[in-house]
Amino acid sequence: MAECLFCRIAAGEIPAKIVFRDEKAVAFEDINPQAPVHVIIIPKKHIPTLLDLTDEDQSIMGYLYVVANHIAADKSLTESGFRLVANCKESAGQEVFHVHIHMLGGREFGWPPG
Ligand code: AMP
Ligand code: ZN
């Protein structure tokens, strides 16, 4: 989608610190990190919100969790663990309307989240 920020990052039109890329998914450093490790993991397919997922998207969304495991290994998070977060629409704080998972690590996290 031409005007979508994350589609443009995936296409290489907007610079980002890419940490993973293949034919299905891209992951890059968050521009405003909330933890020592803060990576955004996206499908290449433009899907605005979690509410727009269909049956055909099951495998790609599952794949994003596999990508997270690769990044966990690269970022030395497999011992400490990490948090994955997906915000859906305004009340949850979604600002970029291309489905994504936040991968946060490198510090302790509270629960419940704010
Ligand atoms: P959300 O609020 O769940 O939609 O998350 C959007 C995330 O994208 C925020 O954590 C932003 O800091 C991050 N972000 C916005 N613009 C960029 C960018 N150009 N490069 C990397 N991350 C970005
Ligand atoms: Zn998009």
Side-chain angles (χ1 to χ4, degrees):
M1 199 183 174
E3 66 271 29
C4 170
L5 173 64
F6 286 176
C7 281
R8 296 190 69 194
I9 288 175
E13 296 169 7
I14 290 177
K17 292 182 185 165
I18 304 290
V19 299
F20 180 93
R21 171 192 290 285
D22 70 5
E23 70 283 3
K24 291 182 289 193
V26 178
F28 50 89
E29 308 277 2
D30 195 291
I31 203 167
N32 182 24
Q34 302 301 310
V37 174
H38 188 170
V39 170
I40 301 290
I41 307 170
I42 67 168
K44 279 192 172 172
K45 179 181 178 182
H46 180 80
I47 304 167
T49 80
L50 294 175
L51 286 165
D52 299 301
L53 294 172
T54 64
D55 284 348
E56 72 175 29
D57 301 319
Q58 287 183 38
S59 64
I60 183 59
M61 293 309 291
Y63 184 62
L64 299 186
Y65 287 81
V66 177
V67 171
N69 279 351
H70 293 307
I71 298 166
D74 291 344
K75 301 279 189 185
S76 302
L77 294 175
T78 55
E79 290 296 321
S80 60
F82 51 85
R83 179 171 288 179
L84 301 178
V85 178
N87 299 319
C88 183
K89 300 186 76 175
E90 285 82 358
S91 288
Q94 185 176 6
E95 293 176 349
V96 179
F97 284 76
H98 179 128
V99 159
H100 54 279
I101 296 174
H102 295 255
M103 181 173 196
L104 298 148
R107 66 169 172 84
E108 300 297 312
F109 297 98
W111 193 264

